[in-house]
Amino acid sequence: MRTKKSSNSNMRFLFGSVFFFATIILSVLMFTYYAMREAWRKSPDRDFVYTVSFSQDFAGRNYSVYLDDSLLYLGNPFNSDTVIRVKRYVTEERVNVAGIDTVIKVPHFTSSSSLFVVDGETNVPTIVNVREYNNIHLKLKNSKVETEMQ
């Protein structure tokens, strides 16, 4: 009878140890997953897409849409059902600094970019800072461009 008690005790200890180590491994895996997911969200290289949409007020008018110095859309006449999607990207440029060739990374369409909506008839631009908003809806009110950003 004594051997049976010790065998039961050993089996309980074995199952408890296996459960304990499985819990530790699961905890480490969950921590790693959530830490990497959070780091991916905060990564500057992740895909960030600006979506620019227009209200029906733009139909039949002449407008140009720029993001920084890049022409995104030239409507003559403007189609109000147009949706523009622009992705952030980084280019590498070779630069010679003090006789040393180096490569610098140049980000395009960052949070400090500006969206320019230029009236084709008056050439009056409306400037909107895009910041970290990725959905931009443009509408006309009293011939002035207004924005809704999300």
Side-chain angles (χ1 to χ4, degrees):
M1 191 130 170
R2 188 171 175 106
T3 18
K4 192 169 186 181
K5 277 188 176 182
S6 66
S7 294
N8 287 338
S9 296
N10 288 341
M11 287 304 283
R12 281 193 214 142
F13 180 76
L14 176 67
F15 288 136
S17 298
V18 168
F19 179 74
F20 177 71
F21 287 119
T23 305
I24 288 176
I25 290 172
L26 182 65
S27 299
V28 168
L29 289 175
M30 286 178 57
F31 172 77
T32 304
Y33 169 74
Y34 286 111
M36 291 300 126
R37 189 175 76 170
E38 188 66 25
W40 175 254
R41 281 188 190 155
K42 292 183 179 181
S43 171
D45 297 332
R46 75 182 177 115
D47 292 341
F48 192 90
V49 177
Y50 294 109
T51 303
V52 182
S53 60
F54 305 92
S55 70
Q56 294 293 328
D57 302 331
F58 281 90
R61 297 179 181 236
N62 299 329
Y63 278 90
S64 304
V65 180
Y66 295 85
L67 187 58
D68 289 339
D69 61 347
S70 301
L71 176 64
L72 301 180
Y73 188 78
L74 176 62
N76 192 5
F78 203 90
N79 292 330
S80 60
D81 60 346
T82 303
V83 176
I84 302 170
R85 288 185 178 81
V86 182
K87 182 178 168 182
R88 286 183 181 173
Y89 66 98
V90 177
T91 58
E92 293 182 352
E93 295 184 11
R94 295 188 175 276
V95 185
N96 190 335
V97 178
I100 300 171
D101 288 331
T102 58
V103 176
I104 59 170
K105 291 186 176 187
V106 180
H108 298 278
F109 308 143
T110 62
S111 61
S112 61
S113 295
S114 295
L115 184 75
F116 297 90
V117 182
V118 181
D119 188 348
E121 296 173 7
T122 62
N123 286 331
V124 175
T126 301
I127 303 170
V128 179
N129 292 327
V130 293
R131 296 188 287 269
E132 287 297 324
Y133 296 110
N134 59 348
N135 291 322
I136 303 166
H137 181 71
L138 300 174
K139 59 183 179 178
L140 286 176
K141 188 172 186 180
N142 297 332
S143 298
K144 291 186 178 181
V145 177
E146 292 185 353
T147 59
E148 293 176 3
M149 295 196 242
Q150 299 176 2

